Structures are given as C-alpha cells and as structure tokens.
Amino acid sequence: MKIINLVIIILIVCSVNSLAQEIDIYKRPVQVERSHNFDVQHYRLKLTFDLDRKEFWGENKVTLNSLSDEFKECILDAKELVVTQVLNHLNVPLKFNQSDSKLIVYLSRAYSYKEEVIFTIKYHAKDPKKGFFFSDETPRNPKMISTDSFPNEARHWFPCYDYPNDKVTMELIATVQKPNKVLSNGRLVSITENKEDNSVTYHWHQDKPHSTYLSMVAIAPFTVIEDSLGSLPINYWVYEKDVEDARRIFKKTPYMIEFFNKLYGYEYPWAKYDQVETPTQGGGAEATSATILGQNVIYDKKADKDFSWERIIAHEIAHQWWGDLITLRTWSETWLNESFGTYSDYLYTRFDKGEEEGAFALLSKKNSYLREAHERYIRPIVFNRYESPGQNFDSHTYPKGACVLHMLRFILGDKPFFRTLRHFLHKHEFQPVDTHDFMIAVKESTGQNLDWFFEQFIYKPGHPEFEISYQWNENTKKVLLKVAQLQDFSLGIPVYKIPVIIGITTSKGKAAKKVWIKQKEEMFEFEVNEKPLMVRFDEGNYLLKEWTFDKKMDELLYQLKNDDVIGKMWAASELVKFKGDTLVAEELRERIQNDSFWAVRRSSLEALSEVEVDANIKLLKKVCKEKNSKVRTTALQILGDTKNSKYVSFFKERFQKENSYVAQAEALRSLGKCGDRSQISFLKKAANMGSPRNVIKRAADWALKELMKGS
Ligand SMILES: [Zn+2]
C-alpha cells in the first residue's frame, strides 16, 4: 500500500553475521481470512460537508446479495460515525443497532441465498481521527479534506464491509462550496452547479469492482493539470502555487503507464488516472485510479537530484494493476501488492535509467531487506501473524519480495516470467487473490512446477548465506569451486536448492556456466584453459544472498576495474583488507576519478577513506566538486571527518557554490566538525535556509551542537 520515501543508506553487505530475532513476531496473534454471509455489489455514497466545523453528513445506499439461506441481519463496519436512520428499498425504516465498531441492520425479513438486499444508511461524523481528515489552511496547503482508507479505515467515513476479500462498485456524489473541487475513484459522471447556494455537486462512478481500502475522496480548491495517454485522461490535482513544479514532477506519468501497459500485457484497467497531493499522506497510497501522494512530492528543480519521487510515482502507478486490479485476499498476502509494486518500480528504473542504475536499485532493495533481517527479525513472506495489517508492510513485503520475484524471473526466463504475470492479471482481474493463485498461474503459463521455489522463499524465512572459495589447479587446468551454505537452520531457514551462474574470466574472455546448488556443501569443477583472472559467483547478481568469497588482492584489483558495477563495488570494499599495499590505494584512486558509474566511484571513495586519507586530500577536494551530488556528499563527509580547521573556508565555499541540498547539508556538518567557533554566526544564518525535509536546517543545528561540545 504505502511507500515512504526515505534516503536509504547503502551498504554492501558482504559479511555473514547472525540474523536477528530482536522482535518475537511469533508472539503476534494468528489471523485468518474474514468470513462474510453477504456479498456487497454496490455502495452509492452521498456526502455533504461543513469544512469550518469539520463535520460531514452521509447517505450510503448499499446493494448486496445474501450468501446465506436465511439472511436476517447485516453487520457492517462503522467507526466514529453516528448512524441516524436506516431505510429499506421502499423507504421503510429498519431497526439497527450500533456499537463502537459495528452497525447491525435488522432486515424486515429473512432473505435467501443470492437474493438482493438494498438499504440506505444515513449518518454523520465530526472530525474523525482516522481515515477521513479535515486539514486547516497552512502556508503549505489550503483548507481541505482528504482520506486514507488503508488498511481498514474506510469504515471511518462510510459504513461498509471493510475487508479486501470483497470487491464492489461504488458511486460518490459529493456537494461542496465553490471553488472547491472533488476527486474520487472512477469516471466523472457529472458536475452540477447548484445556483441557490453557490455549491457544486460532483458525481464519480467506480464502475469496475475494487476493495473498500482503495476508495478515496479529496476536496480542495485544486488546480487540475490535464494530461493524457491516447484516450486515457491523466490529471494532476495540485495546489495552485504548485502548478509549475507539478508539471515537471508528473510529466513522465503517461510514459510510465505506457511502459507498464506493454510490460504486463494488460492495458491500464481504469477510466482515468489521477494523482493528488495532500497534507495527510506520508508517501503514496494507491487508491483506484486516484493515487494519493504526500505534498512533499512537490519540490523545486534543485531538489530533483536528491529528493526525486519518480520511483514512488512509478510504484503507485504499478499498483493500479498490482493491488487495485487484483488485490490481496488477506493481509497475510501483502507481497502480492507490494513486492509486485516494488519489483515494478525496479523494472521502471532499469528501463528508464539503464542497466547500471537498475542494478544499483536492486542492490538497494536487497540491502534494505538484509538490514531488517539483521536488526529486527526474519519471517516468511506470507505471514498470518499480526496485530494490525500495517505490521506486515515491512522490508520483507517490499524489497525482499521484489528480490524473490527477480529470482523467479531468473529461474523461469524472461518470456515465461512476463507471460505468467500477464496470465495472472487476466485470469484474476477484479478479484482478490492469494499466493496459491499465483503459483497456479506459474504452472498454467509455463508448465513448470515451482512449488519448491515458493516453499523456500515465500513460506520459509531467511535467505542463503554462502561461503565461497576456489582453487586453480595448473596441472589439471581446472577450477575447483567450493560452495557452503552457512545460514542458521535452527531458525527454520532451509538448505536452498537454487541455480547460480559462475562466471570465469581469462585473458581469452568470459565463460558463464549455470550450476544447481542443492546441498549444504558442494564442490564444482570447471575446465579452464588458463589461470582465471576472475571467478565470479552469481554472475548477473540474480540471487538474494549474503556471501563471503575469499579472494587474493590481484583478483580483487582486476574485479574492481573490470567487473559489472555490483562486482566493482564489492571488490572496492574487500580491498580494504589489503590496506597498506600501495597498489590498492592507487587503483581506488583510479576508479574514483575514472569509473563511469557514480556508485562505483563512491564505493571506491569509501574504501579509500579506510585505506589512507591524509595522502589524498587534494583528490578529496577535487571529488567534492565532481558531477554526482551523492559522490560529492561522501567526499565532503570524509574530508570533514579529518576535523581539520584549515578546511573551514573550503566547506563554506562548497556550501555557497553547491547546487545540491544534501551536499550543502554535508558541507555544514563538516564545518561543524572543524571545531572553529567563529563559524557560529555563519551556521546560524545557514539554518534559516529553506530546503526539502529541512535538511539544511537540521545539518546546521547539528553542526552548531558539534561546535558547542565540551563548552
Ligand atoms: Zn506500494
């Protein structure tokens, strides 16, 4: 559902440490799929509002079919809503009873299986705490209304069956005072002006079924920027002052939808696609055909390089298929929404920014999962223990599942993998699904039984931890590769069966061979005509794994220069073991200055900072001005760590000349580390500068504290 835009600290995790079980997630209660004795067909919602008093009045006409042979009472979810009347289809009042969280409607007779039941609930609410938000006007946003129905908060703004295993169509008819506008799910049927009171009524129709947690309404004096993809209307609902930035930020939306249309082999399913900014959302939420985004999505051009929401925009678009068209049946199955959404944002990055940025994006996802595995817990991806659904929206659900999909693609092959996705979407469109539906889709699309794969990576916790080494035998001309699996089997982690590609590079070129790992410890032999320059485990970086691979310095130096970007970054971090050897510093310096990919330059810089700093000040200063802001930031930080007051004027100059907020912030922190208290007024002045997420102010405040230490 939600994705929060955090600046991720990237670590190359290459050591095998024990996995954490800091939180005993097995103490959480077991949850089962909710049962229901009726099947809702349609909600027709009519809403009016008093924005000043933060009140609203609603009418929900519910159409449902009985799933029972004797259906007499209908129990709906309703929280913070005061129900005043329930009328049957003939407008005859029905008895009802309301508790804190439920509304029981007593029907006038017993209905039989599949019989249609219609009744209308009248209710009102005042400033709900959840689900439905009245926001005051601030310098950033106008007075407005927004919703967040995820995961079970729709019940805070309309009585409903609020669980994702039922799909419904909906209408929303909302009357507001001008100049407010109303956005909701589906197709805009009409806008009617009510001259008598200067109000306007919007009628929206979500005419294809979806789940209640995907319902939304947003009301504000928005400016609507119109865009399109062929006949598909695409609109951006933003505050008037944000129009210029919004045009730049959202401009790739049609291109992204077109990319996913082709990739999934399923045309975008809804009548339109809208994106709206709100003050009440942290990241993004994939309401059907109307994605809700936090207002931090809007930033100035300077912030593009460090605070881009492009990945989130792509991720939420992908949810229009993964989450909205097909929907998790229970909250144990969060990966069916989020891993597919997260894998999709990787696929978009790979498509739009190229292979190296794609590889880096996937590495970031792996590391994000590994951090959770080491610092918090491991769990199976499909997991039915939680107090609230939100607990399952973690780094197992988002990045781990995405990495698992990448492995599945590797095992199946590109065409069968995407054929499976297409089949899965078409077969289950507008339905709730679970993992078994996906496993069957794999079988139906490819003929392959991959139950063993799902058993290992979806239904069991953890990941493989490999210890790899090899020997070259000059006499037999063979490489003998030893692979051991060292994961902690007592935690329920299996001995993995998985294919892996071994890449062997000699002066004649590279040979790649796929082998199957099946045991705790195995040896593999490869005939090679000469001593290899480099032996690579998991060529292509398909596996979600941790590993150690003891290599000699010569091979690491070769790898740093010649491997793919992931291998280069790993080699840079491994070379720290050979600190003191002049060749190491020399090669790292060479990569810092000449590698074409920024993350390799940065990893080399980080490695160099552990090998030798003082001899490289001139280079560090040069790198503080290089083209990539992330590399510059790291260089500024390393130079700052020398805590040398002679760089004060350099850091001040960098702060003034930088065109990256994040690098500017680092320059201030480094200034603070220099210990020169005459810089206090400079830092105080800098603290007043506006910046996304206040990075400049926070850095200036940190630097001031650093300067005052010991006083
Ligand atoms: Zn998501």
Side-chain angles (χ1 to χ4, degrees):
M1 163 82 189
K2 299 185 172 184
I3 183 159
I4 308 292
N5 192 14
L6 296 172
V7 177
I8 295 170
I9 302 159
I10 304 303
L11 302 163
I12 298 265
V13 179
C14 55
S15 61
V16 178
N17 302 314
S18 64
L19 297 176
Q21 211 60 270
E22 290 295 317
I23 300 162
D24 188 357
I25 49 169
Y26 289 91
K27 279 193 178 148
R28 292 176 182 169
V30 170
Q31 305 283 351
V32 296
E33 182 178 346
R34 184 167 167 182
S35 294
H36 46 136
N37 59 354
F38 57 92
D39 176 13
V40 181
Q41 300 299 309
H42 190 72
Y43 296 118
R44 190 172 201 266
L45 270 179
K46 278 189 188 172
L47 298 172
T48 55
F49 315 88
D50 185 331
L51 270 79
D52 293 325
R53 298 183 57 196
K54 301 189 176 180
E55 277 187 86
F56 69 94
W57 293 264
E59 235 186 75
N60 186 9
K61 184 178 176 187
V62 182
T63 305
L64 56 83
N65 290 337
S66 163
L67 289 180
S68 142
D69 294 310
E70 205 172 332
F71 183 57
K72 288 194 284 198
E73 293 175 9
C74 179
I75 303 176
L76 294 171
D77 302 300
K79 273 191 154 182
E80 300 190 82
L81 306 175
V82 179
V83 175
T84 51
Q85 197 177 35
V86 183
L87 300 168
N88 75 3
H89 64 291
L90 300 170
N91 275 338
V92 176
L94 295 174
K95 284 187 183 155
F96 66 92
N97 203 343
Q98 202 182 356
S99 67
D100 275 356
S101 58
K102 300 286 178 195
L103 169 70
I104 307 173
V105 176
Y106 302 101
L107 304 174
S108 46
R109 63 175 173 84
Y111 287 76
S112 54
Y113 180 69
K114 286 283 178 190
E115 207 177 345
E116 186 179 80
V117 183
I118 297 174
F119 55 83
T120 301
I121 305 157
K122 296 189 177 183
Y123 62 98
H124 73 263
K126 190 166 168 60
D127 202 11
K129 290 182 193 66
K130 283 182 165 182
F132 191 98
F133 307 106
F134 290 92
S135 297
D136 293 323
E137 185 177 349
T138 71
R140 181 68 191 91
N141 61 270
K143 182 190 289 188
M144 62 185 288
I145 287 171
S146 54
T147 57
D148 187 2
S149 304
F150 168 86
N152 38 28
E153 321 297 14
R155 64 191 71 177
H156 292 262
W157 60 286
F158 61 99
C160 57
Y161 175 80
D162 201 8
Y163 196 83
N165 66 355
D166 190 19
K167 292 221 171 193
V168 295
T169 55
M170 286 179 72
E171 279 165 277
L172 183 133
I173 300 154
T175 301
V176 294
Q177 290 299 309
K178 288 199 271 189
N180 285 308
K181 294 183 175 127
V182 181
L183 170 64
S184 189
N185 313 96
R187 183 168 54 85
L188 182 59
V189 178
S190 62
I191 303 175
T192 311
E193 303 232 359
N194 311 305
K195 293 216 169 67
E196 63 277 14
D197 63 354
N198 201 34
S199 68
V200 59
T201 301
Y202 282 71
H203 183 170
W204 289 94
H205 191 185
Q206 173 62 40
D207 54 7
K208 291 174 182 166
H210 75 158
S211 297
T212 48
Y213 83 92
L214 298 167
S215 55
M216 69 82 71
V217 63
I219 297 167
F222 291 116
T223 298
V224 182
I225 303 170
E226 294 185 1
D227 203 341
S228 64
L229 173 64
S231 59
L232 177 72
I234 297 172
N235 297 316
Y236 318 126
W237 298 60
V238 298
Y239 317 145
E240 193 182 352
K241 63 178 179 223
D242 291 340
V243 166
E244 200 183 317
D245 286 324
R247 280 187 205 283
R248 186 188 77 252
I249 287 159
F250 292 124
K251 72 169 185 235
K252 283 186 168 175
T253 302
Y255 163 77
M256 290 173 178
I257 295 177
E258 195 177 18
F259 167 67
F260 289 130
N261 273 342
K262 286 187 186 142
L263 188 71
Y264 305 145
Y266 192 114
E267 281 290 304
Y268 178 82
W270 315 107
K272 49 85 173 162
Y273 186 61
D274 288 313
Q275 289 167 106
V276 60
E277 64 166 317
T278 73
T280 49
Q281 188 67 241
E286 69 278 20
T288 309
S289 80
T291 288
I292 309 162
L293 293 161
Q295 60 198 14
N296 284 342
V297 66
I298 305 293
Y299 44 80
D300 61 36
K301 199 162 187 310
K302 177 176 163 183
D304 266 345
K305 59 184 87 60
D306 299 313
F307 295 94
S308 171
W309 277 48
E310 190 173 343
R311 185 183 65 80
I312 296 179
I313 289 171
H315 177 101
E316 301 304 335
I317 291 173
H319 273 313
Q320 298 300 319
W321 289 263
W322 308 105
D324 297 4
L325 175 62
I326 57 164
T327 306
L328 45 75
R329 177 176 282 284
T330 78
W331 299 109
S332 308
E333 305 272 350
T334 46
W335 86 290
L336 293 173
N337 286 19
E338 292 307 342
S339 305
F340 284 72
T342 304
Y343 192 54
S344 297
D345 73 56
Y346 153 73
L347 290 168
Y348 169 75
T349 302
R350 169 73 183 77
F351 164 74
D352 185 60
K353 318 249 179 268
E355 188 179 340
E356 294 180 337
E357 286 291 351
F360 183 77
L362 200 64
L363 175 70
S364 306
K365 294 186 196 309
K366 286 179 188 171
N367 287 337
S368 161
Y369 155 69
L370 289 172
R371 267 196 301 283
E372 183 163 276
H374 282 282
E375 291 165 16
R376 299 189 71 214
Y377 54 77
I378 54 168
R379 66 168 177 87
I381 285 181
V382 171
F383 194 59
N384 66 353
R385 287 178 179 271
Y386 49 90
E387 278 123 28
S388 62
Q391 286 180 321
N392 270 357
F393 286 79
D394 58 5
S395 292
H396 283 69
T397 283
Y398 291 86
K400 184 182 182 187
C403 296
V404 169
L405 285 172
H406 194 64
M407 288 193 284
L408 181 65
R409 177 180 164 196
F410 164 58
I411 292 168
L412 286 175
D414 268 18
K415 279 188 178 172
F417 175 78
F418 287 106
R419 196 157 59 231
T420 300
L421 297 194
R422 187 165 65 240
H423 173 61
F424 185 46
L425 286 170
H426 282 277
K427 184 180 175 188
H428 295 285
E429 56 180 6
F430 311 111
Q431 290 171 15
V433 288
D434 61 27
T435 302
H436 290 102
D437 295 321
F438 184 59
M439 291 163 72
I440 290 167
V442 171
K443 289 174 187 163
E444 288 172 344
S445 308
T446 69
Q448 302 297 309
N449 180 345
L450 265 82
D451 291 359
W452 58 270
F453 175 85
F454 291 94
E455 188 59 30
Q456 293 182 136
F457 289 105
I458 299 295
Y459 292 108
K460 291 209 162 95
H463 55 271
E465 297 176 28
F466 295 115
E467 184 185 68
I468 306 139
S469 59
Y470 79 92
Q471 286 177 329
W472 162 247
N473 188 323
E474 186 66 46
N475 297 327
T476 57
K477 301 280 182 209
K478 278 180 182 168
V479 164
L480 192 62
L481 183 82
K482 185 177 160 192
V483 180
Q485 298 192 40
L486 299 184
Q487 56 271 21
D488 184 349
F489 305 107
S490 74
L491 297 173
I493 308 171
V495 176
Y496 288 94
K497 167 189 166 186
I498 187 92
V500 62
I501 297 175
I502 309 300
I504 299 178
T505 306
T506 65
S507 65
K508 309 275 185 321
K510 184 188 281 182
K513 192 166 166 43
K514 189 190 270 189
V515 298
W516 279 83
I517 294 169
K518 291 176 180 163
Q519 294 166 26
K520 265 191 199 174
E521 200 170 307
E522 277 168 287
M523 306 288 278
F524 299 94
E525 263 188 4
F526 304 92
E527 284 188 18
V528 189
N529 46 20
E530 62 182 44
K531 186 182 179 204
L533 293 164
M534 175 170 73
V535 175
R536 186 72 149 72
F537 181 79
D538 191 20
E539 180 80 44
N541 315 297
Y542 295 105
L543 304 190
L544 174 59
K545 65 184 185 302
E546 288 181 276
W547 77 102
T548 58
F549 195 162
D550 224 4
K551 290 192 176 189
K552 295 199 169 68
M553 189 181 80
D554 286 354
E555 182 174 341
L556 289 169
L557 289 171
Y558 180 87
Q559 188 166 359
L560 176 65
K561 206 175 173 107
N562 297 288
D563 202 359
D564 63 29
V565 294
I566 304 301
K568 284 179 178 180
M569 291 165 72
W570 179 80
S573 66
E574 285 290 293
L575 277 165
V576 173
K577 291 177 185 167
F578 299 94
K579 106 190 230 184
D581 195 300
T582 51
L583 266 181
V584 171
E586 204 175 292
E587 280 303 320
L588 288 171
R589 276 195 294 269
E590 200 274 329
R591 279 301 94 196
I592 290 165
Q593 295 176 90
N594 296 319
D595 203 276
S596 60
F597 190 56
W598 67 270
V600 174
R601 299 200 297 278
R602 188 174 69 176
S603 292
S604 303
L605 188 59
E606 285 162 345
L608 185 68
S609 76
E610 291 188 48
V611 171
E612 55 171 41
V613 172
D614 293 345
N616 294 299
I617 298 298
K618 206 173 148 195
L619 174 64
L620 278 170
K621 283 187 164 179
K622 189 177 150 197
V623 179
C624 288
K625 299 175 190 174
E626 80 126 71
K627 60 188 174 204
N628 185 284
S629 62
K630 295 179 184 72
V631 186
R632 295 201 299 273
T633 302
T634 300
L636 283 161
Q637 178 239 314
I638 294 167
L639 197 58
D641 284 343
T642 62
K643 303 191 174 187
N644 192 328
S645 62
K646 70 180 174 191
Y647 306 132
V648 162
S649 58
F650 179 77
F651 291 133
K652 285 168 79 173
E653 183 206 290
R654 288 326 307 150
F655 175 76
Q656 276 148 353
K657 292 192 174 163
E658 254 302 335
N659 68 1
S660 148
Y661 288 113
V662 171
Q664 278 185 303
E666 200 58 54
L668 292 181
R669 272 191 289 272
S670 289
L671 186 58
K673 291 183 218 165
C674 290
D676 177 355
R677 291 194 185 169
S678 67
Q679 301 310 317
I680 287 175
S681 64
F682 180 87
L683 286 167
K684 281 188 173 165
K685 202 173 151 207
N688 292 326
M689 190 179 137
S691 60
R693 286 188 231 143
N694 272 328
V695 285
I696 301 282
K697 181 175 168 25
R698 286 192 284 124
D701 289 346
W702 184 91
L704 283 164
K705 257 192 210 156
E706 190 71 11
L707 276 185
M708 298 318 288
K709 263 188 191 167
S711 64

